Amino acid sequence: MQEEINLLQRRIKELEIVNEHGRLRIQDLERELAGGSAMPSLTQGPSMSTLPRTQTTPTPPSILPSWRARTDARVRLLCSLNRAGNALCAWHDSRRERRTYPPRMAPPGYLNCGCTFEEALFEESLSRHGVGSYHPGESVRMDPALRNPLFRLLQTRYGYQDGDFERDPKTGEWVEGEGNALWERKLAQGAMNVRKNRTEERR
């Protein structure tokens, strides 16, 4: 019961952060509509007021099929069920905690630990850029209490989607070696390893 209360309290804090960010964004948009320039919503020093507004990374139409294929391969590789019928994010996979959903009973888009596919992919992407760790045995993990609000903030403020960290900010194209081919190859290698293990088990 105490664990469930703690989870609910964390979720409430996440929603409060998202709500506050949304309220501040609405204020910015209202200022723009009123004809004034969008001023920073938080109190900032003189040096911050001269910074240019963040530019959105362009999205060439040619990258969209590759993007969909890349995300699909990552979901199939990183959010697949283990032998016990559970799909877990890296944080929960390293802990013996009560699962939110029973084996093979998680809703579409969710892992058994209660995290979403998007949150799990975000965690893995952060780790490849030096923020936290992902693989078993590594000590520093990205706690969902920090990971999830950060993910929502990036979504709300910058429209973040899985793969954005791996795109060139000027052209919008994939950084070399980060397209769908990499993940489809990893997925194929994983499937080959599974088939190999099953063959060995039969022997």
Side-chain angles (χ1 to χ4, degrees):
M1 179 64 72
Q2 185 60 43
E3 183 180 333
E4 292 178 2
I5 291 172
N6 291 339
L7 288 173
L8 288 172
Q9 288 175 338
R10 279 191 213 160
R11 183 59 180 153
I12 289 170
K13 288 180 182 178
E14 291 174 16
L15 292 173
E16 286 175 346
I17 292 171
V18 172
N19 181 61
E20 177 64 13
H21 184 77
R23 186 181 67 79
L24 295 173
R25 180 61 181 148
I26 289 171
Q27 289 179 357
D28 286 345
L29 293 173
E30 286 175 345
R31 289 192 193 99
E32 289 180 5
L33 289 173
S37 60
M39 299 296 292
S41 300
L42 303 177
T43 303
Q44 299 175 335
S47 61
M48 292 296 289
S49 63
T50 59
L51 292 176
R53 293 181 62 81
T54 303
Q55 299 297 313
T56 304
T57 301
T59 305
S62 59
I63 200 177
L64 295 179
S66 170
W67 203 338
R68 283 190 291 268
R70 182 183 189 275
T71 301
D72 180 60
R74 280 169 56 76
V75 166
R76 292 168 62 192
L77 183 65
L78 301 173
C79 302
S80 59
L81 298 176
N82 59 22
R83 291 187 179 184
N86 288 308
L88 308 167
C89 72
W91 168 269
H92 288 107
D93 192 30
S94 64
R95 284 159 178 75
R96 295 184 178 274
E97 298 179 358
R98 182 180 176 185
R99 310 304 185 204
T100 304
Y101 304 107
R104 297 183 174 83
M105 295 294 287
Y110 281 82
L111 305 172
N112 294 86
C113 57
C115 297
T116 66
F117 287 0
E118 291 176 325
E119 290 163 351
L121 298 184
F122 180 63
E123 182 177 20
E124 191 278 337
S125 191
L126 283 176
S127 73
R128 285 189 297 115
H129 290 271
V131 183
S133 301
Y134 188 81
H135 298 291
E138 296 177 341
S139 57
V140 182
R141 304 268 179 164
M142 176 61 78
D143 190 321
L146 176 60
R147 179 197 69 199
N148 296 351
L150 175 60
F151 176 60
R152 308 247 184 304
L153 181 63
L154 289 174
Q155 277 186 315
T156 305
R157 181 64 183 86
Y158 301 105
Y160 171 83
Q161 297 180 61
D162 181 55
D164 275 341
F165 293 158
E166 290 74 44
R167 294 197 298 138
D168 185 294
K170 293 182 179 179
T171 66
E173 298 288 351
W174 296 119
V175 173
E176 186 176 354
E178 281 291 350
N180 59 303
L182 167 70
W183 293 98
E184 289 172 341
R185 185 167 60 252
K186 288 185 176 183
L187 181 62
Q189 289 171 350
M192 288 174 61
N193 291 336
V194 169
R195 285 194 293 270
K196 180 181 178 182
N197 291 337
R198 285 177 179 169
T199 302
E200 291 176 351
E201 287 173 1
R202 291 193 191 102
R203 291 175 183 172

